[in-house]
Amino acid sequence: MASWLQIPKNSPFSLANIPFGIISSSKIASRVPAIAIGDYALNLNAFASSGGFSQLPEFQPHLDVFNQPTLNAFAALGRPVHRRVREYIQKVLRADTPYPQLLKDNATLQKEALFPLSEVTNHLPLQIGDYTDFYAGLNHAYNIGVLFRGPDNALQPNYKHLPVAYHGRASSVVPSGTPIHRPQGQILTNPTADPKVPTFSPCKRLDIELELAFFVSQPNELGKPVHIHNAEDHIFGVVLMNDWSARDIQAWEYIPLGPFNAKNFGTTITPWVVLIDALEPFRTTGLEPGNRDSLLPYLREKRAENAYDIPLEVEVTNAGGKPTVISHSNAKNLLYSFPQMLAHHTITGCNLNTGDLLGSGTISGKDKKTEGSFLEQTNGKTPIKLADGSERFFLEDGDTVILRGTAGTEGNYVGFGDCVGTILPAVKLDF
């Protein structure tokens, strides 16, 4: 699709995308909803206030959702509304738009509503009430299992029967670009010692996890599970996510109840939410489709194309160094789909709310340099070599990590933008 607005051919925010987010700038009094298009953000509050949605009469009663500091109100309207609004905005921005008077030929509104992305500040797109992180990356689960239990017992007996997950910390989910302080805590420096006595220090095995995550749109009532065939209608959209992990802190604390401080210090997401409809062209068959028939009925989907073909990559740059792409993966390396995750989460009657964030788990491939974490790629023994000649077993202070994910073809890319975080030294404590 061609637009009257100049869009770089390599932009992840083509007319085929139209992702939603929350922005502010020196020219905008408060945080407002927006969409990303090429190198610009379209202020939806200004657009709506100037009659931009006048040709979408069914949306007129809902214009106030674009006068909010989060996307929660818009998300709660449901997928049919999201679809109509996205398609309408695409029409407004098309080169052959049937509504040129709304924006294309309206120089005044363009000045008031279109802002270069370089001039805006991105914020968390939704208010997140709760955050759950799944473990649906089959290759990641296998690789980690081999490290701890060997290849014969790599996967736990439950793994191919249900989407495993843990509850994370919603308050420390941050938008791309937010620096992350190195965490510190209890670490068992000598696992073979008896008795086992931990020390307190900054994390020495700081890692990443390459993930996708999705936001819940419409909630379900307490006690009423979401049926697998309806689960996708409860999904607003998808972001890239880096679930930062303190592996040495995790190793000491996770028995018997799982991750806690090793995961609660920071989770980075991209600020632009790609609607689930924008990902439809990239549906593909997921891993091990034969496994679907052995699932319990509440997890069985009607169609086999329950994964997305979205190329992913991880780039690392040390302070003052050159960027190095250390891994390439793909979103189709997930054993469970987003609807399966949501259906399983609610099967007990658990009530999900608008804005809840559900992560996919680390997305790794089968081959070398396709792993989604340092732990898998190095095993603490074989370092990653960066472009400047330096080596990494895990992240060092000053390192910047960028996750990217973009599907489609040149001129029609559907992507998330960069998911960026830089590691700062641990906070100095006085005790």
Side-chain angles (χ1 to χ4, degrees):
M1 292 184 288
S3 174
W4 54 263
L5 187 67
Q6 187 173 0
I7 302 175
K9 291 184 178 181
N10 63 346
S11 172
F13 307 134
S14 73
L15 196 55
N17 194 349
I18 312 296
F20 289 74
I22 296 293
I23 64 168
S24 65
S25 79
S26 59
K27 299 179 181 179
I28 303 175
S30 59
R31 299 181 182 186
V32 295
I35 61 101
I37 179 71
D39 291 334
Y40 293 89
L42 174 63
N43 179 341
L44 293 176
N45 183 37
F47 182 68
S49 300
S50 300
F53 289 97
S54 60
Q55 303 303 308
L56 190 63
E58 64 266 38
F59 190 65
Q60 296 304 304
H62 309 297
L63 292 180
D64 189 57
V65 300
F66 291 142
N67 187 27
Q68 307 293 325
T70 72
L71 291 171
N72 290 63
F74 177 57
L77 294 177
R79 187 177 181 184
V81 175
H82 307 153
R83 179 184 296 124
R84 291 289 291 117
V85 170
R86 173 175 170 268
E87 291 173 346
Y88 178 80
I89 293 174
Q90 286 176 320
K91 286 184 178 180
V92 171
L93 292 169
R94 270 180 12 205
D96 60 347
T97 175
Y99 317 123
Q101 74 280 8
L102 296 183
L103 193 60
K104 180 181 179 182
D105 296 339
N106 190 335
T108 300
L109 183 54
Q110 287 186 36
K111 187 175 181 179
E112 294 176 351
L114 277 173
F115 296 88
L117 290 175
S118 59
E119 295 180 7
V120 304
T121 299
N122 292 104
H123 305 277
L124 283 178
L126 287 90
Q127 182 176 347
I128 304 170
D130 211 339
Y131 158 50
T132 301
D133 196 20
F134 283 86
Y135 195 54
L138 173 60
N139 299 317
H140 172 74
Y142 178 80
N143 293 340
I144 297 299
V146 169
L147 291 180
F148 292 104
R149 295 180 296 276
D152 293 337
N153 300 295
L155 297 178
Q156 299 285 8
N158 65 352
Y159 189 79
K160 292 189 178 181
H161 292 277
L162 57 83
V164 176
Y166 75 92
H167 282 282
R169 182 69 186 173
S171 64
S172 55
V173 178
V174 296
S176 174
T178 306
I180 301 294
H181 278 280
R182 181 175 295 275
Q184 47 201 326
Q186 291 193 25
I187 296 171
L188 187 64
T189 55
N190 186 1
T192 63
D194 190 16
K196 293 177 171 51
V197 179
T199 59
F200 184 90
S201 80
C203 168
K204 295 179 176 63
R205 295 165 65 88
L206 184 56
D207 203 352
I208 64 163
E209 291 192 347
L210 169 64
E211 304 192 29
L212 292 175
F214 66 90
F215 282 102
V216 173
S217 55
Q218 292 181 316
N220 63 296
E221 293 183 33
L222 179 66
K224 296 185 177 180
V226 176
H227 195 287
I228 184 65
H229 300 331
N230 302 324
E232 196 167 276
D233 289 335
H234 289 259
I235 296 174
F236 177 48
V238 182
V239 293
L240 263 179
M241 187 173 86
N242 186 348
D243 186 33
W244 305 92
S245 301
R247 300 297 186 191
D248 42 7
I249 295 175
Q250 183 177 0
W252 173 241
E253 75 175 6
Y254 84 101
I255 298 173
L257 294 180
F260 180 37
N261 284 337
K263 298 280 193 173
N264 71 3
F265 60 93
T267 302
T268 303
I269 64 172
T270 45
W272 296 106
V273 183
V274 177
L275 295 189
I276 201 74
D277 279 344
L279 298 176
E280 277 296 312
F282 313 109
R283 280 191 174 275
T284 188
T285 302
L287 296 178
E288 300 192 14
N291 180 56
R292 302 308 177 191
D293 293 336
S294 65
L295 293 173
L296 292 174
Y298 79 94
L299 286 173
R300 294 178 191 168
E301 297 179 271
K302 289 182 178 179
R303 55 182 173 181
E305 298 81 10
N306 66 347
Y308 297 103
D309 184 2
I310 307 174
L312 307 169
E313 71 174 32
V314 180
E315 179 183 285
V316 178
T317 305
N318 63 332
K322 298 178 180 179
T324 306
V325 175
I326 66 168
S327 181
H328 291 92
S329 188
N330 194 293
K332 61 187 179 183
N333 286 313
L334 291 173
L335 182 61
Y336 296 99
S337 70
F338 296 148
Q340 287 174 318
M341 296 176 202
L342 192 145
H344 182 65
H345 203 315
T346 67
I347 196 62
T348 58
C350 171
N351 55 320
L352 299 179
N353 294 313
T354 301
D356 283 355
L357 183 68
L358 279 66
S360 67
T362 308
I363 306 173
S364 298
K366 288 186 175 181
D367 304 320
K368 292 297 293 180
K369 305 297 183 181
T370 66
E371 302 94 340
S373 69
F374 278 67
L375 178 61
E376 294 170 83
Q377 195 165 142
T378 72
N379 190 17
K381 299 176 181 178
T382 306
I384 296 170
K385 293 186 178 181
L386 302 185
D388 66 350
S390 61
E391 297 181 339
R392 294 288 184 279
F393 290 101
F394 292 96
L395 291 168
E396 297 184 3
D397 293 348
D399 287 349
T400 296
V401 178
I402 302 178
L403 310 184
R404 296 189 179 94
T406 305
T409 57
E410 186 177 76
N412 291 287
Y413 285 131
V414 174
F416 305 95
D418 290 352
C419 185
V420 184
T422 299
I423 303 303
L424 301 180
V427 175
K428 292 184 178 180
L429 301 176
D430 184 18
F431 60 77

